[in-house]
Amino acid sequence: MKSLFLLTSFAVLAVPRAALSQAIPPAPPRTMSSDILVTADARPVDAEALSVSATVITREEIDRRKASSVLDLLRTVPGLDVVQSGGPGGVTSLFLRGTSSTQTLVLVDGVRINSPFFGAVDLSSVSTASIERIEVVRGPFSALYGSEAVGGVIQILTRRAPKAGVSVHGRGSIGNLKSREAEATVSYAGGP
């Protein structure tokens, strides 16, 4: 009995590792759906598992709304007040759930864009052409992101190039009174 166990163990260990890895197909890559949030935790988490309220604006929703700037999209988020000083191009302040503008953290692909001196964010000229999704998480996230995230976190995730090399995406529209609008995005993907 002992020799049968040793013989079986040796046979299992002798199977080449490459043969085992070829036998198990790799898992398909997980696509980002609207029920997965990246901002709310240190890792992606399902929206149902959160203990705070969150809003996700997907690319499909951006196209459906035909919003041209990020500010137009953020104005529709519950619990978020957008204040712009002056006209177009003016500095913007974001107030999430009644906190001050210095207590709402804004990230673009994980990089903080809040002013280190005033806490204000200038999103007035940010177009929606390069935005893939926006995640707004309301609630205290100071343990994860620091004191700038007492009111919540707004994460803007940009589009990635769909294939290796250069990709170009464009859109144009014509409206009343000879108004015209055009957007173009150029992206490059190469390597990891």
Side-chain angles (χ1 to χ4, degrees), residues 6-181:
L6 288 174
L7 183 63
T8 307
S9 298
F10 180 71
V12 170
L13 293 175
V15 174
R17 185 176 187 159
L20 285 176
S21 65
Q22 289 177 357
I24 302 170
R30 185 173 183 175
T31 58
M32 187 68 71
S33 67
S34 63
D35 58 343
I36 303 291
L37 291 170
V38 178
T39 309
D41 206 349
R43 58 184 168 31
V45 65
D46 289 327
E48 295 87 35
L50 290 176
S51 60
V52 295
S53 62
T55 302
V56 177
I57 302 172
T58 61
R59 183 70 225 174
E60 293 79 26
E61 190 173 347
I62 294 170
D63 291 337
R64 190 178 72 247
R65 288 187 189 180
K66 302 205 183 320
S68 60
S69 73
V70 173
L71 290 181
D72 294 337
L73 293 171
L74 292 179
R75 284 189 172 104
T76 63
V77 174
L80 178 63
D81 291 326
V82 178
V83 177
Q84 186 174 8
S85 58
V91 175
T92 309
S93 296
L94 303 171
F95 301 92
L96 198 53
R97 285 196 151 178
T99 60
S100 74
S101 63
T102 60
Q103 295 173 329
T104 301
L105 180 64
V106 181
L107 305 170
V108 175
D109 290 331
V111 177
R112 298 169 189 254
I113 63 169
N114 291 61
S115 169
F117 304 110
F118 307 111
V121 178
D122 186 12
L123 296 175
S124 60
S125 61
V126 178
S127 170
T128 58
S130 61
I131 307 297
E132 183 63 33
R133 67 190 267 139
I134 300 173
E135 298 177 356
V136 179
V137 184
R138 295 175 286 282
F141 283 93
S142 56
L144 188 60
Y145 291 105
S147 63
E148 296 171 324
V150 171
V153 181
I154 299 170
Q155 168 100 265
I156 300 171
L157 300 167
T158 59
R159 285 182 165 181
R160 301 284 183 235
K163 59 183 179 172
V166 177
S167 298
V168 179
H169 178 268
R171 180 179 79 160
S173 60
I174 299 173
N176 293 339
L177 302 173
K178 298 183 182 179
S179 63
R180 294 181 178 100
E181 181 180 83

